[in-house]
Amino acid sequence: QVQLVESGGGLVQAGGSLRLSCAASGRTFSNYAMGWFRQAPVKEREFVAAISWSGYTSYTDSVKGRFTISRDNAKNTVYLQMNSLKPEDTAVYYCAARSDTVIYTRAAEYGSWGQGTQVTVSS
């Protein structure tokens, strides 16, 4: 399995921006589909965005037009650029990986997870 380490979380005011990074190691990163999920207190982990090895992307409706997922296979890193942040975006954000050519939106489909990074958006 691939090892994942997230960074870039923090406290930001509503309307602000953050960029999350997820560094991968241990396997050939370009063979992996990558996803971002988030989990708020007392809520289930939910899909945010995903990107295939070739750059195909998918987003949950609530972040479309505000968040952008990208990857740099040379740096073994996937990013989540988050703009126009809202208080309801507050959650722990997790990076996930699956050795596959297609992307998935269900958390159960991913076998490798990072430790998570906290994002807090104040109103």
Side-chain angles (χ1 to χ4, degrees), residues 26-99:
R27 289 290 186 268
T28 305
F29 178 70
S30 59
N31 292 343
Y32 281 76
M34 303 297 297
W36 284 99
F37 290 77
R38 65 187 180 186
Q39 188 166 17
V42 302
K43 290 189 175 181
E44 292 186 356
R45 191 167 299 189
E46 66 171 352
F47 170 75
V48 176
I51 187 168
S52 73
W53 68 273
S54 62
Y56 178 81
T57 59
S58 179
Y59 298 91
T60 191
D61 286 345
S62 64
V63 308
K64 285 180 181 177
R66 299 189 298 123
F67 291 11
T68 302
I69 188 171
S70 62
R71 66 191 295 162
D72 185 337
N73 289 337
K75 295 183 178 180
N76 288 358
T77 302
V78 63
Y79 304 98
L80 186 68
Q81 177 66 44
M82 305 186 295
N83 298 329
S84 302
L85 283 160
K86 304 176 181 179
E88 51 264 44
D89 295 317
T90 295
V92 177
Y93 282 70
Y94 297 90
C95 175
R98 176 186 169 105
S99 180

